[in-house]
Coordinates of all heavy atoms in Angstrom, one line a residue:
E162 N 184.8 216.7 41.8 CA 184.5 216.9 40.4 C 183.8 218.3 40.2 O 183.9 218.9 39.2 CB 183.7 215.8 39.9 CG 184.5 214.5 39.7 CD 183.7 213.4 39.1 OE1 182.7 213.6 38.4 OE2 184.1 212.2 39.4
D163 N 182.9 218.6 41.1 CA 182.1 219.8 40.9 C 182.2 220.7 42.2 O 181.3 220.6 43.1 CB 180.6 219.4 40.7 CG 179.8 220.6 40.3 OD1 180.2 221.8 40.4 OD2 178.6 220.4 39.8
P164 N 183.3 221.5 42.3 CA 183.5 222.3 43.5 C 182.3 223.2 43.9 O 182.0 223.4 45.0 CB 184.7 223.1 43.3 CG 185.4 222.4 42.1 CD 184.4 221.7 41.4
A165 N 181.7 223.8 42.8 CA 180.5 224.7 43.1 C 179.4 224.0 43.7 O 178.7 224.5 44.7 CB 180.1 225.3 41.8
E166 N 179.1 222.7 43.3 CA 178.0 222.0 43.9 C 178.4 221.5 45.3 O 177.5 221.6 46.2 CB 177.7 220.7 43.0 CG 176.6 219.8 43.6 CD 175.2 220.4 43.7 OE1 175.0 221.5 43.1 OE2 174.4 219.9 44.4
V167 N 179.6 221.1 45.5 CA 180.0 220.7 46.8 C 179.9 221.9 47.8 O 179.5 221.8 48.9 CB 181.4 220.1 46.8 CG1 181.9 219.8 48.2 CG2 181.4 218.8 46.0
A168 N 180.4 223.0 47.3 CA 180.3 224.2 48.2 C 178.8 224.6 48.5 O 178.5 224.9 49.7 CB 180.9 225.4 47.4
R169 N 178.0 224.5 47.6 CA 176.5 224.7 47.8 C 176.0 223.8 48.9 O 175.3 224.2 49.8 CB 175.7 224.6 46.5 CG 174.3 225.0 46.7 CD 173.5 224.6 45.4 NE 173.4 223.1 45.2 CZ 172.7 222.3 45.9 NH1 171.9 222.7 46.9 NH2 172.7 221.0 45.6
V170 N 176.3 222.5 48.7 CA 175.8 221.5 49.7 C 176.4 221.7 51.1 O 175.7 221.7 52.1 CB 176.1 220.0 49.2 CG1 175.9 219.0 50.3 CG2 175.3 219.8 47.9
L171 N 177.7 222.0 51.1 CA 178.3 222.3 52.4 C 177.7 223.5 53.1 O 177.5 223.4 54.3 CB 179.8 222.5 52.2 CG 180.7 221.2 51.9 CD1 182.1 221.6 51.6 CD2 180.7 220.3 53.1
L172 N 177.4 224.5 52.4 CA 176.9 225.7 53.0 C 175.4 225.5 53.4 O 175.0 226.1 54.4 CB 177.0 226.9 52.0 CG 178.4 227.4 51.9 CD1 178.5 228.4 50.7 CD2 178.9 228.1 53.2
E173 N 174.7 224.7 52.7 CA 173.3 224.4 53.0 C 173.2 223.5 54.3 O 172.3 223.7 55.1 CB 172.6 223.6 51.9 CG 172.1 224.5 50.8 CD 171.4 223.8 49.7 OE1 171.1 222.6 49.9 OE2 171.1 224.4 48.7
N174 N 174.2 222.6 54.5 CA 174.1 221.7 55.6 C 174.9 222.1 56.8 O 174.6 221.7 57.9 CB 174.5 220.3 55.1 CG 173.5 219.8 54.1 OD1 172.3 219.7 54.4 ND2 173.9 219.4 52.9
Q175 N 176.1 222.7 56.6 CA 176.9 223.2 57.6 C 177.2 222.2 58.8 O 177.2 222.6 59.9 CB 176.4 224.5 58.1 CG 176.4 225.6 57.1 CD 176.0 227.0 57.7 OE1 176.1 227.2 58.8 NE2 175.5 227.8 56.8
G176 N 177.5 221.0 58.4 CA 178.0 220.1 59.5 C 177.0 219.7 60.5 O 175.8 219.5 60.2
Q177 N 177.5 219.5 61.7 CA 176.6 218.8 62.7 C 175.7 219.8 63.4 O 174.8 219.3 64.2 CB 177.5 218.1 63.7 CG 178.5 219.0 64.4 CD 179.4 218.1 65.3 OE1 179.1 217.0 65.7 NE2 180.6 218.7 65.5
W178 N 175.8 221.1 63.3 CA 174.9 222.0 64.0 C 174.0 222.6 63.0 O 174.3 222.8 61.8 CB 175.7 223.1 64.6 CG 176.7 222.6 65.5 CD1 176.5 222.0 66.7 CD2 178.1 222.7 65.3 NE1 177.7 221.6 67.3 CE2 178.7 222.0 66.4 CE3 179.0 223.2 64.3 CZ2 180.1 221.9 66.6 CZ3 180.3 223.0 64.5 CH2 180.9 222.4 65.6
T179 N 172.8 223.0 63.5 CA 171.9 223.8 62.6 C 172.5 225.2 62.5 O 173.1 225.7 63.5 CB 170.5 223.8 63.2 OG1 170.6 224.3 64.5 CG2 169.9 222.4 63.2
P180 N 172.3 225.8 61.4 CA 172.9 227.2 61.3 C 172.3 228.1 62.4 O 171.1 228.0 62.7 CB 172.4 227.6 59.9 CG 172.3 226.4 59.1 CD 171.7 225.4 60.1
A181 N 173.1 228.9 62.9 CA 172.7 229.8 64.0 C 172.6 231.2 63.5 O 173.2 231.6 62.5 CB 173.8 229.8 65.1
S182 N 171.8 232.0 64.2 CA 171.7 233.4 63.9 C 172.7 234.2 64.8 O 172.8 233.9 66.0 CB 170.3 234.0 64.2 OG 169.4 233.4 63.3
W183 N 173.5 235.1 64.2 CA 174.5 235.8 64.9 C 174.0 237.3 65.1 O 173.4 237.8 64.2 CB 175.8 235.8 64.2 CG 176.4 234.4 64.2 CD1 176.1 233.4 63.3 CD2 177.4 233.9 65.1 NE1 176.8 232.3 63.6 CE2 177.6 232.6 64.7 CE3 178.1 234.4 66.2 CZ2 178.5 231.8 65.4 CZ3 179.0 233.7 66.8 CH2 179.2 232.3 66.5
R184 N 174.4 237.9 66.2 CA 174.1 239.3 66.4 C 175.1 239.9 67.4 O 175.8 239.2 68.1 CB 172.7 239.5 67.0 CG 172.5 238.9 68.4 CD 171.1 239.0 68.9 NE 170.9 238.3 70.1 CZ 171.2 238.7 71.3 NH1 171.7 239.9 71.5 NH2 171.0 237.9 72.4
E185 N 175.2 241.2 67.3 CA 176.2 241.9 68.2 C 175.4 242.4 69.4 O 174.3 242.9 69.3 CB 176.8 243.1 67.5 CG 177.9 243.7 68.2 CD 178.6 244.8 67.4 OE1 178.1 245.1 66.3 OE2 179.5 245.4 68.0
A186 N 176.0 242.1 70.6 CA 175.4 242.5 71.8 C 176.6 243.2 72.7 O 177.5 242.5 73.0 CB 174.8 241.4 72.6
D187 N 176.5 244.4 72.9 CA 177.5 245.2 73.6 C 178.9 245.0 73.1 O 179.9 244.7 73.8 CB 177.5 244.7 75.1 CG 176.2 245.0 75.8 OD1 175.6 246.1 75.5 OD2 175.7 244.2 76.6
G188 N 179.0 245.0 71.7 CA 180.3 244.9 71.1 C 180.8 243.5 70.9 O 181.9 243.2 70.5
T189 N 180.0 242.5 71.3 CA 180.4 241.1 71.3 C 179.5 240.3 70.4 O 178.3 240.5 70.4 CB 180.4 240.4 72.7 OG1 181.3 241.1 73.5 CG2 180.7 239.0 72.7
W190 N 180.1 239.5 69.5 CA 179.3 238.7 68.6 C 178.9 237.4 69.3 O 179.7 236.7 69.8 CB 180.0 238.4 67.3 CG 179.9 239.6 66.4 CD1 180.8 240.7 66.3 CD2 178.8 240.0 65.5 NE1 180.3 241.6 65.5 CE2 179.1 241.2 64.9 CE3 177.6 239.3 65.2 CZ2 178.2 241.8 64.0 CZ3 176.8 240.0 64.3 CH2 177.1 241.2 63.7
I191 N 177.6 237.1 69.3 CA 177.0 236.0 70.0 C 176.1 235.3 69.0 O 175.6 235.9 68.0 CB 176.4 236.3 71.3 CG1 175.2 237.3 71.1 CG2 177.4 236.8 72.3 CD1 174.3 237.5 72.3
C192 N 175.7 234.0 69.3 CA 174.8 233.3 68.5 C 173.7 232.7 69.3 O 173.8 232.6 70.5 CB 175.5 232.3 67.6 SG 176.1 230.8 68.5
D193 N 172.7 232.1 68.6 CA 171.6 231.5 69.3 C 171.7 229.9 69.3 O 170.8 229.2 69.5 CB 170.3 231.9 68.8 CG 170.1 231.6 67.3 OD1 170.9 231.0 66.7 OD2 169.0 232.0 66.8
G194 N 172.9 229.4 68.9 CA 173.1 228.0 68.8 C 172.9 227.3 70.1 O 173.6 227.7 71.1
S195 N 172.1 226.3 70.2 CA 171.8 225.6 71.5 C 173.0 224.8 72.0 O 173.0 224.5 73.2 CB 170.6 224.7 71.3 OG 170.9 223.7 70.4
H196 N 174.1 224.6 71.2 CA 175.2 223.9 71.7 C 176.5 224.8 71.6 O 177.6 224.2 71.7 CB 175.5 222.6 70.9 CG 174.4 221.6 71.0 ND1 173.7 221.3 72.1 CD2 173.8 220.9 70.0 CE1 172.8 220.5 71.9 NE2 172.8 220.2 70.6
S197 N 176.3 226.1 71.5 CA 177.5 227.0 71.3 C 177.9 227.6 72.6 O 177.1 228.1 73.4 CB 177.1 228.1 70.3 OG 178.2 229.0 70.2
F198 N 179.3 227.6 72.8 CA 179.9 228.3 73.9 C 179.7 229.8 73.8 O 179.9 230.6 74.7 CB 181.4 228.0 74.0 CG 181.6 226.6 74.5 CD1 182.1 225.7 73.6 CD2 181.4 226.2 75.8 CE1 182.4 224.4 74.0 CE2 181.7 224.9 76.2 CZ 182.2 224.0 75.4
R199 N 179.3 230.2 72.6 CA 179.1 231.7 72.3 C 177.7 232.1 72.4 O 177.3 233.2 72.0 CB 179.7 232.0 70.9 CG 181.3 231.8 70.9 CD 181.9 232.1 69.7 NE 181.8 233.5 69.4 CZ 182.1 234.0 68.2 NH1 182.5 233.3 67.2 NH2 182.0 235.3 68.0
N200 N 176.8 231.3 73.0 CA 175.5 231.7 73.2 C 175.3 231.9 74.7 O 175.3 231.0 75.5 CB 174.5 230.5 72.8 CG 173.1 230.9 73.1 OD1 172.7 231.8 73.8 ND2 172.2 230.0 72.6
P201 N 175.2 233.2 75.1 CA 175.2 233.5 76.6 C 174.0 232.9 77.3 O 174.0 232.8 78.5 CB 175.1 235.0 76.7 CG 175.1 235.5 75.3 CD 175.2 234.4 74.3
E202 N 173.0 232.4 76.6 CA 171.8 231.8 77.2 C 172.1 230.3 77.7 O 171.4 229.8 78.5 CB 170.6 231.7 76.2 CG 170.2 233.1 75.8 CD 169.7 234.0 76.9 OE1 168.9 233.4 77.8 OE2 170.0 235.2 77.0
N203 N 173.2 229.7 77.1 CA 173.6 228.4 77.5 C 174.3 228.4 78.9 O 175.1 229.3 79.2 CB 174.5 227.7 76.5 CG 173.7 227.5 75.2 OD1 172.5 227.3 75.2 ND2 174.5 227.5 74.1
H204 N 174.0 227.4 79.7 CA 174.6 227.4 81.1 C 176.1 227.2 81.0 O 176.8 227.4 82.0 CB 173.9 226.3 81.9 CG 174.2 224.9 81.6 ND1 173.6 224.3 80.5 CD2 175.1 224.0 82.1 CE1 174.1 223.1 80.4 NE2 175.0 222.9 81.3
F205 N 176.6 226.7 79.9 CA 178.0 226.4 79.7 C 178.7 227.5 78.9 O 179.9 227.3 78.5 CB 178.2 225.0 79.1 CG 177.4 224.8 77.8 CD1 177.9 225.3 76.6 CD2 176.2 224.2 77.9 CE1 177.1 225.2 75.5 CE2 175.4 224.0 76.7 CZ 175.9 224.5 75.5
A206 N 178.0 228.6 78.6 CA 178.6 229.6 77.8 C 179.9 230.2 78.4 O 180.1 230.2 79.6 CB 177.6 230.8 77.6
L207 N 180.7 230.7 77.5 CA 182.0 231.4 78.0 C 181.6 232.7 78.7 O 180.6 233.3 78.4 CB 182.9 231.6 76.8 CG 183.4 230.4 76.1 CD1 184.1 230.9 74.8 CD2 184.3 229.6 77.0

């Protein structure tokens, strides 16, 4: 019924992960998400 409100709520909550901060490191975009394969600090990172 209210796509703008649903969009706002979806962007505020963003599913099952807490929003991560993204940055570029040596031309590669990585994040600080504790469950992300794209966080090089995680032991399971790609």
Side-chain angles (χ1 to χ4, degrees):
E162 291 182 23
D163 189 350
E166 177 64 12
V167 172
R169 184 190 65 76
V170 170
L171 286 171
L172 288 167
E173 281 181 8
N174 296 304
Q175 294 185 25
Q177 60 187 335
W178 306 292
T179 56
S182 295
W183 292 84
R184 64 183 171 82
E185 188 175 2
D187 300 321
T189 299
W190 281 92
I191 60 172
C192 72
D193 62 3
S195 61
H196 299 318
S197 179
F198 289 108
R199 295 181 67 193
N200 179 350
E202 300 297 317
N203 291 332
H204 71 282
F205 51 82
L207 295 172

